[in-house]
Amino acid sequence: MKAKLSLLLVCMVLVSGCKRYERTEEDMTMPAPVVVTRGQEENQEKEIKMSEKEIHIVTESVSQESRRTPVKVKGVYISAYVAGTKALMDDIIKHIDETEINAVVIDVKDDNGRITFSMDSPLVSEIAAVKRFIPDMEGLMKKLKEHNIYTIARVVAFRDPYLPELKPDLALKLPDGSTYRDNKGMAWVNPYKQEVWDYLVEVGIEAHKMGFDEIQFDYIRFSTERGVGDVVYEEEDTQGRSKTDIITEFIEYAYERLSEEGVFVSADVFGAIIGGGVDSDAVGQSYGDMADHLDYICPMIYPSHYGDGYFGIDHPDTKPYDTILAALKGSKVNLGDHGKEEGHEIVVRPWLQDFTASYLDHYIEYGDEQIRQQIQAVYDAGYDEWLLWSAACRYHWSALKPSQETGRAGQTTGSLENQSGDKAA
């Protein structure tokens, strides 16, 4: 990135003369320009001889990043099936127009490893990964933009039961060479494999070309289910790196490439990894370290996902406000100075629960009051963005403020540092 910025300065001299480069609010996510010293004059002269085509490539790459306009998100998850069903999607858009919701998270690479709309890119085509749940993604994106809705592409990462069937060498392996499968019989890809990283980045880039404003990685972790302790990792892949090392490295790798394309990058993480410990080590998610390489981090802090006694609360699912507030207070403590590098600050955007966990021994029905309590807890913790999760995409719309009260049309903000904001994967 520093090299590109250096080239950009040269380009600006060529185009507009010796004019000081002043960073605008839009540019605040970029590192400061590199100053060329006397010892670098020879290299500078070589750079000045770039062709017009090279200048265009460099300036276009940097301008892509500077065009990223952050939005204070209040969003809902939309499955590929719902997104591809016109009547259902039209109904959701109608509700969005009437409420404070301003964003949608749509499955692009789903839990079954399938790409949900037509995508013509190398590995996607090679393994025939497309399953067109959304037959007219271009038309859907156009409609969402017309309604001023911010679009987030959900890309399920390392739980992928499809890719390993076509490329077994990328799967998690057991000692006998067979493919590891979780409790649902699903295979997982090996997070240590570079080819998997490139595939996920490829999907993210193609989603952005379709018009998505943000790429959100889910299941960026190792499996923790029965039998995973038997999985073997080759030293040539691990090279001494731990699970948390490799997940953080993937995030850094993906962020570097996707942000250069002009798209925001976020990641879903377990709520239980806030503060570190055995949960963090098991899944490979280090809350603070991951935050250093993301625009948004999205802890899944559903009250139903915390065991009895967590945060000192007898039954967390029955205390939605207290549970969300406690989790996000922990987030602030855990982050500390993480995620505050290179001119922008990480935004914490939690996933909240819009479903009833009737499978628990101690639960309550979740309705308007419980949804609102969770949202209020986000604000009381000092954050101002959130997402609602319902696997069935059935939301308590009446729990949300009317759009007239929130001025949803003016949803865009200045820069990431102006935001106070701090799924079942």
Side-chain angles (χ1 to χ4, degrees):
M1 187 61 187
K2 288 183 179 179
K4 290 182 178 178
L5 287 168
S6 179
L7 295 179
L8 174 62
L9 290 176
V10 176
C11 296
M12 294 179 68
V13 170
L14 290 173
V15 174
S16 58
C18 295
K19 183 177 180 181
R20 181 182 175 190
Y21 174 52
E22 298 288 349
R23 291 202 298 168
T24 65
E25 286 190 338
E26 272 190 326
D27 299 321
M28 293 302 282
T29 58
M30 296 165 52
V34 177
V35 178
V36 179
T37 63
R38 180 181 296 273
Q40 295 171 303
E41 288 178 354
E42 183 177 351
N43 289 335
Q44 185 188 55
E45 290 177 359
K46 291 179 181 179
E47 290 176 347
I48 291 176
K49 295 177 181 178
M50 290 187 303
S51 68
E52 290 184 4
K53 181 178 180 180
E54 288 172 316
I55 292 173
H56 172 75
I57 292 172
V58 173
T59 55
E60 177 64 19
S61 176
V62 178
S63 64
Q64 282 279 359
E65 185 165 351
S66 66
R67 282 203 298 267
R68 303 194 311 164
T69 303
V71 169
K72 287 188 178 181
V73 162
K74 301 174 182 180
V76 293
Y77 162 73
I78 306 295
S79 69
Y81 169 76
V82 171
T85 305
K86 186 178 184 302
L88 295 176
M89 200 62 205
D90 285 348
D91 184 61
I92 285 176
I93 291 174
K94 176 178 179 293
H95 283 300
I96 291 175
D97 286 342
E98 295 170 348
T99 66
E100 61 189 309
I101 296 298
N102 65 357
V104 290
V105 181
I106 298 176
D107 281 334
V108 165
K109 180 174 179 284
D110 68 15
D111 298 74
N112 294 310
R114 305 306 294 267
I115 305 302
T116 62
F117 62 91
S118 295
M119 187 179 291
D120 184 19
S121 58
L123 188 52
V124 171
S125 299
E126 179 185 340
I127 65 173
V130 171
K131 189 171 185 179
R132 293 177 68 240
F133 289 105
I134 309 174
D136 183 15
M137 178 59 93
E138 186 174 350
L140 175 59
M141 292 299 297
K142 182 175 183 293
K143 180 179 292 187
L144 292 170
K145 297 304 179 184
E146 288 173 349
H147 288 259
N148 200 25
I149 298 172
Y150 183 81
T151 52
I152 304 172
R154 178 175 179 255
V155 177
V156 175
F158 300 125
R159 191 181 83 164
D160 186 332
Y162 185 77
L163 179 59
E165 304 300 339
L166 280 298
K167 289 184 170 288
D169 58 310
L170 300 181
L172 291 182
K173 296 290 188 180
L174 296 172
D176 63 1
S178 62
T179 296
Y180 161 80
R181 298 182 187 279
D182 63 20
N183 295 341
K184 294 182 178 179
M186 291 187 173
W188 289 60
V189 290
N190 188 343
Y192 286 100
K193 296 290 188 179
Q194 179 71 43
E195 188 175 350
V196 174
W197 293 14
D198 291 335
Y199 177 46
L200 295 171
V201 169
E202 175 184 311
V203 171
I205 290 173
E206 291 301 314
H208 179 51
K209 288 179 180 178
M210 181 56 69
F212 280 95
D213 302 298
E214 179 178 325
I215 307 303
Q216 183 182 91
F217 291 107
D218 200 356
Y219 283 93
I220 40 169
R221 64 175 180 87
F222 287 78
S223 173
T224 58
E225 296 184 21
R226 178 176 48 84
V228 74
D230 296 327
V231 170
V232 293
Y233 300 97
E234 301 294 334
E235 176 59 31
E236 62 182 294
D237 292 328
T238 63
Q239 299 177 23
R241 294 169 295 180
S242 69
K243 290 181 178 180
T244 52
D245 288 338
I246 203 63
I247 295 299
T248 301
E249 283 187 29
F250 164 69
I251 287 297
E252 183 176 9
Y253 180 86
Y255 180 79
E256 180 180 338
R257 282 151 183 78
L258 290 171
S259 61
E260 287 180 354
E261 296 290 326
V263 63
F264 288 108
V265 183
S266 60
D268 298 336
V269 298
F270 270 144
I273 62 111
I274 296 174
V278 294
D279 291 319
S280 177
D281 295 338
V283 299
Q285 294 178 344
S286 172
Y287 195 62
D289 291 340
M290 291 173 71
D292 287 334
H293 309 291
L294 291 165
D295 295 307
Y296 305 93
I297 192 164
C298 306
M300 298 172 287
I301 53 174
Y302 316 118
S304 61
H305 281 35
Y306 293 100
D308 290 347
Y310 215 102
F311 302 125
I313 301 171
D314 288 344
H315 310 300
D317 187 68
T318 67
K319 301 287 185 180
Y321 175 85
D322 295 339
T323 303
I324 298 300
L325 185 62
L328 291 180
K329 283 183 176 179
S331 168
K332 280 188 177 293
V333 172
N334 193 184
L335 283 181
D337 292 329
H338 283 286
K340 298 179 180 179
E341 298 178 358
E342 298 185 358
H344 79 275
E345 184 171 349
I346 185 71
V347 174
V348 177
R349 184 199 291 153
W351 280 100
L352 307 178
Q353 177 174 328
D354 196 348
F355 59 89
T356 296
S358 56
Y359 50 85
L360 297 175
D361 291 334
H362 303 281
Y363 72 94
I364 59 174
E365 292 287 334
Y366 270 59
D368 292 355
E369 181 181 354
Q370 288 69 33
I371 307 309
R372 204 69 228 171
Q373 285 178 1
Q374 292 178 88
I375 293 171
Q376 188 59 50
V378 173
Y379 299 147
D380 290 349
Y383 298 133
D384 54 11
E385 298 194 31
W386 42 266
L387 297 165
L388 297 179
W389 176 271
S390 165
C393 304
R394 298 191 186 101
Y395 295 100
H396 289 85
W397 299 104
S398 54
L400 306 171
K401 292 182 179 179
S403 56
Q404 296 90 331
E405 290 185 18
T406 60
R408 191 176 73 80
Q411 65 187 356
T412 56
T413 64
S415 58
L416 284 175
E417 55 271 34
N418 288 334
Q419 299 189 42
S420 61
D422 218 4
K423 165 173 64 356

